[in-house]
Amino acid sequence: MERTLIGELGSCVGETVSVEGSIDVRRDQGKMVFFDFRDRSGTVQGVCLPGSEALEIAKETNKEYVVRVEGTVNKRPEKNVVDRQNGDIELEVKGIEILAKAEPLPFDTDAEINLDTMLDYRPLTVRRERERLIFKTQAEIIKGFREYLDDQGFTEFQAPKLVGDDAEGGAGVFKVEYFKDRSAYLATSPQLYKQMMVGPFERVYTAGAQFRAEKHATTRHLNELSMLDFEMGFIKDHTDVMRMLEGALKHITKRLGEQLPGKFELPLVPESFPVVKLREAQEILGVSTDEPDLEPEHERALSEWAKREKGSDFIFVTHYPVSKRPFYTMEDENDPGMTKSFDLLFRGVEIVSGSQRVHDYEMLVQKIADKGLDPEKFSFYLMAFKYGMPPHGGIGMGLERLTQKFLGLENVKEATLFPRDMNRIDVLLSSSIPDESNDA
Amino acid sequence: MERTLIGELGSCVGETVSVEGSIDVRRDQGKMVFFDFRDRSGTVQGVCLPGSEALEIAKETNKEYVVRVEGTVNKRPEKNVVDRQNGDIELEVKGIEILAKAEPLPFDTDAEINLDTMLDYRPLTVRRERERLIFKTQAEIIKGFREYLDDQGFTEFQAPKLVGDDAEGGAGVFKVEYFKDRSAYLATSPQLYKQMMVGPFERVYTAGAQFRAEKHATTRHLNELSMLDFEMGFIKDHTDVMRMLEGALKHITKRLGEQLPGKFELPLVPESFPVVKLREAQEILGVSTDEPDLEPEHERALSEWAKREKGSDFIFVTHYPVSKRPFYTMEDENDPGMTKSFDLLFRGVEIVSGSQRVHDYEMLVQKIADKGLDPEKFSFYLMAFKYGMPPHGGIGMGLERLTQKFLGLENVKEATLFPRDMNRIDVLLSSSIPDESNDA
């Protein structure tokens, strides 16, 4: 019999169907066995009635057994209807075929699990409803990001992860043993590549892994993360970039509300995100306006202010000083010493940095030198500017941190399938495997 | 005045517009200057007439200057209409504002450019129409891949690129200096991770960079490549995977035909892709059936046969011997010694490998040991199988090689923005850049 997806059972009342999935829950009541079956489309309750031929097999099974079940879809009596997917139906199990057995799980799947256990048993913990929701949400966020930018005329490109030099001397960057006598480094950002792509495509985005060798041990840092980056040409100033970002985040929020309705609290999104200059933020918070940046606790306080005063879970902070921003950041001619840059705070944490970039070749060479760097090492990048580059700007945003904040998770590692840090990197061989497509 | 995109000028005849873009072509005829302007939406011819106020500025400009142009959109006389985008209109230039200057280009953009020059000047060569088409095509391929799989109930996930061990001893894998006293390695495939994701999501895909430390110098190998991978549960056997892949490639082909019509020769796609067993392929080619694989010249000959005899640019080859396939490949119970595996050849080259995988825990442990590997090192991966895994299978496909074959390019590096090989890795600092979103 053809497989029916669990999500489609609601329209099969009275029919005999074949369902394939995992046993999510199993309750043996002696004369009867109750199940929750799970497949990619949802869950449904199943019951193996007294005298059923399948009862003996049902008793052999356990949580996470993979099964093919034949049964009849019955409407539940009104009083037993529960408020969840397929809550008004039940699968009366007539036959069970075991496709794969499972050992008893090493932890209680319904209980609270601490972060270490969560990650030690990731291949199993990710099967829980809570964790599936996290990574479904992550998939929808990246989809929403691409969808919005595609619609705005952006072109996706693949940024390289191996880079050939480390002009500053190694802090914060992982070194790779490249071919004989050569080293390479893992990219910390696609920044310079995406700027070069503004020449041919004007509006570009790229999404992928980036690497940070920093010895952080916080709830919001990762050593390997997924970055969402875009860059756009022919802007007036950084506010055009902010508007594009705001549009993307509103679209993502809308998409999450549609695709995963009622699963978590969507952010407060006002008509337009509030914007304050760094100095204004410091005045609002009553802290020194001499500091070049906000401390984490200031970011939290400012987010609370934005929520309370502006009804927004997002707030832009603009005009960070030249000293605190990378060489490619445009200075504000109307506010010397300050840049046309911004951070976006979301529920207490910075999730995006962006700015208008310097597009004039001579000015860019000067800015590189001003930061004590050697323009010679940037010649490949500078080539794009020597031969004409429009005014442009863009942003970078960490996917895991964004997922964390949308869902209100405590630690960014909960929003990372296989987080890498100083103490954790799973011992998983991929190198021994004859490759899947680049071989011969 | 608001900017008008060049692609929208066709509906602005008689109007005065403001256009922003780069100078793609410039011909100074003394009394007049002709241009082709380019923005992200297309190109248009512009003319600066004798006596025009803009003529003086027009004479100062050159190729790749970035400009804002005010002008009137005129219909061209019937006899001057040319067969290209905006071929029936012309922008009569009234004013030019220079947004960025450009030095004279170091090569003739219309000429044939050899591969080394192409890559040495990548920030510039990618601005050429031919190269923009290549990377537009690549963006459409990856979009088509995701679109098809999303529609089939797949969930996207992010596979890690840093892996913690190298159980086989290092050939073909790049080593990373991780934190003090630890090494890590760059992933050569998301294989083991995507299999683990079948448990929670049943159908998954992932797209991203993978790394191969092989010292190849061929027209089809890269040391860093973008892999498109999917994995699906509850299959009957490898033919379910082949059907899904075939569906994805047909969708991509259709999408390319719609999005980039007439830009290149679309592949021949029959009702269903031809399928031959390895042994049958060897018989067709008249080569020894004792060989465990096809040589590159055999793959070319078999592709020619498929095109000639079956009207197809694609052909599946199935049933490679156990000895030639990774441990996780399912053996065919009806053809002992042979696996439920396949390669897909496209226009003479293998672009995909796939198979049904072993899903039984005990069998998988045995297969790992049979290959001389230590099952202990795979315990994280094996966890997924110990606790119930459905029958499943999947594929891996290199995005750059796929792009190469769709476009009929000679070398896969032409389809790679910044290819990395033994001799080439651009000296581009990304490490010195204060990061864009993970900082503070």
Side-chain angles (χ1 to χ4, degrees), chain B residues 271-283:
Chain B
E271 184 70 21
S272 49
F273 293 178
V275 183
V276 293
K277 288 189 173 186
L278 174 63
R279 263 183 310 227
E280 293 167 348
Q282 289 165 330
E283 282 161 14

Side-chain angles (χ1 to χ4, degrees), chain A residues 95-120:
Chain A
I96 301 176
E97 184 186 343
I98 295 171
L99 299 177
K101 294 183 182 187
E103 293 197 8
L105 290 177
F107 51 81
D108 180 356
T109 44
D110 298 328
E112 284 269 327
I113 293 180
N114 73 35
L115 188 60
D116 276 331
T117 305
M118 177 81 77
L119 298 176
D120 287 346

Side-chain angles (χ1 to χ4, degrees), chain A residues 149-327:
Chain A
L149 295 179
D150 286 343
D151 198 50
Q152 298 290 321
F154 282 73
T155 300
E156 180 174 4
F157 79 100
Q158 306 299 316
K161 313 303 175 214
L162 285 169
V163 295
D165 194 19
D166 167 36
E168 254 202 340
V173 60
F174 288 116
K175 190 173 179 180
V176 179
E177 293 177 17
Y178 203 58
F179 292 107
K180 198 169 171 347
D181 303 333
R182 287 193 89 160
S183 290
Y185 300 85
L186 291 179
T188 58
S189 157
Q191 180 64 34
L192 307 191
Y193 293 98
K194 66 180 176 161
Q195 287 188 260
M196 292 191 279
M197 287 303 108
V198 170
F201 299 112
E202 194 179 308
R203 294 181 163 191
V204 293
Y205 68 88
T206 187
Q210 301 294 332
F211 307 88
R212 311 276 163 86
E214 290 146 9
K215 293 182 183 172
H216 287 301
T218 75
T219 58
R220 56 199 188 128
H221 288 96
L222 295 166
N223 293 110
E224 174 178 348
L225 67 159
S226 306
M227 286 286 284
L228 309 180
D229 275 88
F230 74 70
E231 200 75 16
M232 55 192 282
F234 298 102
I235 59 171
K236 181 178 81 275
D237 56 28
H238 59 296
T239 62
D240 285 345
V241 182
M242 289 160 67
R243 255 201 306 277
M244 186 65 72
L245 172 63
E246 184 171 327
L249 285 166
K250 284 178 174 173
H251 180 74
I252 290 168
T253 302
K254 184 164 155 281
R255 196 183 160 93
L256 289 173
E258 288 163 2
Q259 299 295 318
L260 300 164
K263 296 289 189 187
F264 51 90
E265 199 185 332
L266 290 173
L268 287 173
V269 177
E271 184 70 22
S272 50
F273 293 177
V275 182
V276 293
K277 288 189 173 185
L278 175 63
R279 262 182 310 226
E280 292 167 348
Q282 289 164 329
E283 282 161 14
I284 289 168
L285 298 171
V287 299
S288 164
T289 55
D290 293 337
E291 292 300 317
D293 205 349
L294 294 177
E295 295 296 321
E297 65 265 30
H298 301 151
E299 293 183 348
R300 281 193 291 275
L302 189 64
S303 276
E304 276 161 31
W305 176 85
K307 187 166 185 172
R308 197 173 59 238
E309 301 293 327
K310 305 287 176 182
S312 178
D313 273 324
F314 296 94
I315 179 169
F316 280 114
V317 182
T318 68
H319 290 82
Y320 290 83
V322 170
S323 62
K324 282 296 286 182
R325 289 295 194 169
F327 66 81

Side-chain angles (χ1 to χ4, degrees), chain A residues 3 20-21 38-40 64 66 100-105 120 123-124 126-127 132 136 139 143 146 150 153 155-157 160-168 173-179 182 184 187-188 192-193 196 199-203 209 211-213 220-224 227 234 328 350 353 377-378 380 383-384 386-390 396 398 401 417-418 420-423 425-433 435-440, chain B residues 3 20-21 38-40 64 66 99-105 120 123-124 126-127 132 136 139 143 146 150 153 155-158 160-168 173-179 182 187-188 192-193 196 199-203 209 212-213 220-224 227 234 328 350 353 377-378 380 383-384 386-390 396 398 401 417-418 420-423 425-433 435-440:
Chain A
R3 176 187 189 191
E20 295 174 2
R38 167 187 97 222
D39 73 8
R40 70 175 188 271
E64 295 304 320
V66 183
K101 294 183 182 187
E103 293 197 8
L105 290 177
D120 287 346
L124 305 182
V126 66
R127 296 183 185 180
R132 280 183 286 132
K136 278 280 181 192
K143 207 172 289 182
R146 291 193 200 110
D150 286 343
T155 300
E156 180 174 4
F157 79 100
K161 313 303 175 214
L162 285 169
V163 295
D165 194 19
D166 167 36
E168 254 202 340
V173 60
F174 288 116
K175 190 173 179 180
V176 179
E177 293 177 17
Y178 203 58
F179 292 107
R182 287 193 89 160
T188 58
L192 307 191
Y193 293 98
M196 292 191 279
F201 299 112
E202 194 179 308
R203 294 181 163 191
F211 307 88
R212 311 276 163 86
R220 56 199 188 128
H221 288 96
L222 295 166
N223 293 110
E224 174 178 348
M227 286 286 284
F234 298 102
Y328 50 77
E350 182 226 311
S353 282
K377 297 214 168 183
F378 292 85
F380 193 68
M383 201 190 294
K386 206 164 172 177
Y387 299 97
M389 184 72 109
R401 201 186 276 187
L417 276 169
F418 303 99
R420 275 71 174 99
D421 65 24
M422 277 183 289
N423 305 310
I425 177 164
D426 45 81
V427 175
L428 230 192
L429 164 90
S430 89
S431 60
S432 74
I433 298 157
D435 69 53
E436 276 282 309
S437 94
N438 206 27
D439 51 4
Chain B
R3 177 188 188 190
E20 296 174 1
R38 169 187 95 224
D39 73 8
R40 70 174 188 271
E64 294 304 319
V66 183
L99 300 177
K101 294 184 182 186
E103 293 197 8
L105 289 178
D120 288 346
L124 304 182
V126 66
R127 297 182 184 181
R132 279 183 286 132
K136 277 280 183 194
K143 208 173 289 181
R146 291 192 200 110
D150 286 342
T155 300
E156 180 173 3
F157 80 99
Q158 306 299 316
K161 312 304 174 214
L162 285 169
V163 294
D165 194 19
D166 166 36
E168 253 201 343
V173 58
F174 289 116
K175 191 173 178 178
V176 179
E177 293 177 17
Y178 203 57
F179 292 107
R182 289 192 87 160
T188 58
L192 307 191
Y193 292 99
M196 292 191 279
F201 299 113
E202 196 179 306
R203 295 181 162 192
R212 310 277 163 86
R220 55 198 190 129
H221 287 96
L222 295 164
N223 293 110
E224 175 178 348
M227 286 286 284
F234 297 101
Y328 50 76
E350 182 226 311
S353 282
K377 295 214 169 183
F378 292 85
F380 193 66
M383 201 190 295
K386 206 164 172 176
Y387 300 97
M389 184 72 109
R401 202 187 275 187
L417 276 168
F418 303 99
R420 274 71 175 100
D421 65 24
M422 279 182 288
N423 306 311
I425 176 164
D426 45 80
V427 176
L428 229 191
L429 164 90
S430 89
S431 60
S432 73
I433 297 156
D435 70 51
E436 275 284 309
S437 94
N438 206 26
D439 50 3

